[in-house]
Amino acid sequence: MANIPSGNRDSFGSKFGVIAAAAGSAVGLGNIWRFPLVTTQNGGGAFLILYISFIVFIGIPVMLSEFSIGRRAQLNAFGSFKKLAPKTPWYLVGFLGILTAFAILSFYSAVAGWTLEYLVQAISGKLLHTDDYVKNFADFSTDVYRPLIWQMVFMFLTAIVVYAGVKKGIEKFTKILMPVLVILIGVVVVRSVSLPGAAEGIKYLFVPDWSAVNFKTVLMALGQAAFSLSIGMGTLITYGSYIQKDNHLLRTSSQVALADTSIAILSSLMVIPAIFAFSSVSIDQMSPGPGLVFEVLPAVFKAMPGGVIFAVVFFFLLAVAALTSTISVLEVVVAYLKEELGMTRGKATIIASVSISVLGVLATLSFSSLSGFHIFGLNIFDLLNFASANIMLTFGALFIVVFVGWKLGKSNFLDEISNKGEIKSVLHKIVFFIIRYIAPVAIGIIAVAALFIKGLT
Ligand code: TRP
């Protein structure tokens, strides 16, 4: 096999580059489109407390597991397992990650494409001159060509960044885009929380309602935390393989998790108070997904003074957040093709993005010409969404912690995260204990439950 020697591998050049790339992967549609609604509908502050506990006690340990696997092996997700556990079937976990990348990217790029359509509609003025936003979205999504063209444009943008390489593409790009994203979110938050009536929304968001919390809520909090941190499919194994040997991995993981969670909370402050101020739609009745971003928010922007500007800024920042996530998913497949099948980066990027686009076309067409086609009662888009986010990712995360806890083992893991003993921290042993005993049980429960509870995203 054409495994490239570690010395020649492309890598991230700076600590900030690592954070920007990994936080870029984590911060995406999950933060801006799903988190605000899921939180408000599931007990507000109560959900937030659960969510943050899962980020700290499960999310960071899994992220650290992925980083340590990748950095130790210096290979793609598939190759890493093969190298660290030779002659065992563990490489199948890497393979599952490659398949999951296909599934996630196919529906994610569809939605990412919608953000471009809405950005253009906002710029042209069409968006704020619409009367019926539900119809506007339905007209667009049931069109055969427009969503497909935007999806292809988005995949093309993703491919350009990945093609440019780790340091000159992914790192360079995310180092510019992530600060821009934070600033733009800040601008919209200030506008949103200063609207008359915003206080109601802020209260609704943060005041805990424990009566809304049940077993399903707990599972949703863990599922959302995993999806939001981009864990469970080898994205962070792949990125971990590009991290320098002197990087403090526990610190980096914590910073990425902090950035992701802060942006999720800021996104809620951007969206929820504005909805309370201007929308007659009850938040409890909204379904997560297209409704909030593509049907409710445009009406909010229309009612808001200066709404055109905020609509343009919002859809631009949503596209940016999605782009820094899609590049991380595509990179998983490209690194695999490059290192395991010996392709050049260029060839790997073309083959990966074209083949993912084919599956993506099916996801997009499930709103138009394929809308009558169902498997297990779900159209192709929902099936890919459900199978990847709820099933493949949770099983992926489960296998990863079991691998580190029971196969890679304590001394290898501690050696890797302490940079061969250089960093001394009691936290390292505590994290290993969680990885070995607690995380497998917690993730195992949600993985099994996800198979049985429908509608758990
Ligand atoms: N975390 C991203 C979001 O919140 C989505 C994402 C990107 C992802 N890469 C991933 C999810 C890898 C799971 C695994 O939108």
Side-chain angles (χ1 to χ4, degrees):
M1 289 287 161
N3 287 340
I4 290 144
S6 3
N8 294 339
R9 281 185 101 236
D10 203 351
S11 64
F12 293 127
S14 69
K15 286 200 179 108
F16 177 63
V18 175
I19 309 259
S25 171
V27 175
L29 298 172
N31 300 58
I32 302 172
W33 144 355
R34 284 207 78 246
F35 181 84
L37 252 198
V38 176
T39 305
T40 38
Q41 288 179 340
N42 288 282
F47 184 88
L48 213 56
I49 291 170
L50 277 174
Y51 179 84
I52 292 173
S53 324
F54 283 140
I55 292 278
V56 173
F57 294 107
I58 308 289
I60 293 176
V62 180
M63 188 185 287
L64 191 59
S65 302
E66 291 203 28
F67 279 156
S68 65
I69 293 172
R71 194 175 68 170
R72 196 157 187 86
Q74 293 288 302
L75 282 171
N76 63 87
F78 180 93
S80 286
F81 284 101
K82 232 171 56 182
K83 182 164 172 187
L84 298 178
K87 302 198 180 64
T88 65
W90 277 105
Y91 64 85
L92 290 174
V93 180
F95 196 68
L96 173 68
I98 314 288
L99 292 182
T100 312
F102 267 79
I104 290 196
L105 206 43
S106 61
F107 78 85
Y108 204 94
S109 61
V111 182
W114 300 347
T115 65
L116 295 180
E117 160 80 18
Y118 271 64
L119 175 60
V120 170
Q121 282 194 16
I123 293 172
S124 74
K126 174 175 188 276
L127 192 63
L128 299 195
H129 289 102
T130 299
D131 291 319
D132 185 343
Y133 287 100
V134 176
K135 183 173 175 299
N136 186 46
F137 181 71
D139 287 347
F140 163 64
S141 60
T142 54
D143 188 283
V144 178
Y145 299 108
R146 284 185 78 88
L148 275 186
I149 292 167
W150 285 124
Q151 183 176 30
M152 295 307 137
V153 170
F154 207 91
M155 282 303 293
F156 184 69
L157 294 175
T158 306
I160 291 176
V161 179
V162 170
Y163 175 74
V166 177
K167 198 178 280 139
K168 296 206 179 103
I170 299 172
E171 178 174 359
K172 197 168 143 198
F173 232 73
T174 52
K175 261 162 72 173
I176 301 169
L177 289 183
M178 290 311 286
V180 170
L181 179 67
V182 173
I183 292 169
L184 294 182
I185 292 179
V187 170
V188 186
V189 169
V190 170
R191 169 81 273 209
S192 181
V193 299
S194 59
L195 291 167
E200 270 307 296
I202 298 174
K203 225 169 86 192
Y204 199 77
L205 188 59
F206 289 116
V207 173
D209 173 10
W210 290 102
S211 69
V213 173
N214 54 32
F215 183 62
K216 194 172 157 186
T217 324
V218 176
L219 298 182
M220 279 177 79
L222 183 53
Q224 173 68 19
F227 185 82
S228 191
L229 287 182
S230 298
I231 55 185
M233 70 157 247
T235 301
L236 301 177
I237 295 180
T238 310
Y239 275 11
S241 75
Y242 305 136
I243 298 180
Q244 306 282 353
K245 285 287 183 190
D246 64 354
N247 192 291
H248 190 329
L249 291 182
L250 178 58
R251 188 179 297 154
T252 298
S253 309
S254 310
Q255 286 165 343
V256 172
L258 180 68
D260 185 57
T261 308
S262 313
I263 294 187
I265 294 173
L266 281 174
S267 299
S268 310
L269 284 174
M270 172 165 81
V271 171
I272 305 295
I275 292 180
F276 264 77
F278 285 115
S279 174
S280 49
V281 190
S282 153
I283 297 220
D284 284 323
Q285 276 145 23
M286 274 181 220
S287 62
L292 171 75
V293 164
F294 299 102
E295 293 168 2
V296 179
L297 278 182
V300 168
F301 290 129
K302 186 177 180 177
M304 186 190 277
V308 185
I309 295 162
F310 291 100
V312 172
V313 170
F314 178 81
F315 286 105
F316 177 73
L317 74 84
L318 196 57
V320 166
L323 183 61
T324 56
S325 296
T326 52
I327 57 180
S328 75
V329 186
L330 186 62
E331 178 63 19
V332 172
V333 184
V334 169
Y336 163 75
L337 294 176
K338 189 167 157 277
E339 293 173 347
E340 301 304 312
L341 304 181
M343 292 180 192
T344 60
R345 177 167 279 273
K347 191 171 170 198
T349 307
I350 293 169
I351 291 186
S353 43
V354 169
S355 50
I356 288 170
S357 299
V358 172
L359 194 59
V361 167
L362 298 179
T364 293
L365 290 183
S366 60
F367 292 92
S368 53
S369 28
L370 294 177
S371 60
F373 183 75
H374 288 88
I375 304 172
F376 304 126
L378 297 171
N379 67 28
I380 300 172
F381 181 97
D382 291 335
L383 184 74
L384 286 165
N385 184 352
F386 180 79
S388 58
N390 293 14
I391 298 174
M392 298 165 89
L393 281 181
T394 27
F395 276 96
L398 176 63
F399 295 141
I400 286 165
V401 285
V402 171
F403 178 80
V404 171
W406 299 87
K407 177 72 191 169
L408 187 66
K410 190 171 182 175
S411 58
N412 283 326
F413 176 73
L414 293 181
D415 181 65
E416 189 58 42
I417 62 170
S418 70
N419 302 346
K420 301 199 178 310
E422 236 167 68
I423 305 164
K424 312 232 179 302
S425 165
V426 278
L427 287 177
H428 285 172
K429 283 193 182 131
I430 298 175
V431 176
F432 184 75
F433 180 85
I434 294 176
I435 292 172
R436 188 171 161 110
Y437 297 106
I438 298 176
V441 174
I443 303 171
I445 292 172
I446 172 174
V448 172
L451 291 175
F452 297 103
I453 301 183
K454 246 192 125 186
L456 187 81
T457 321

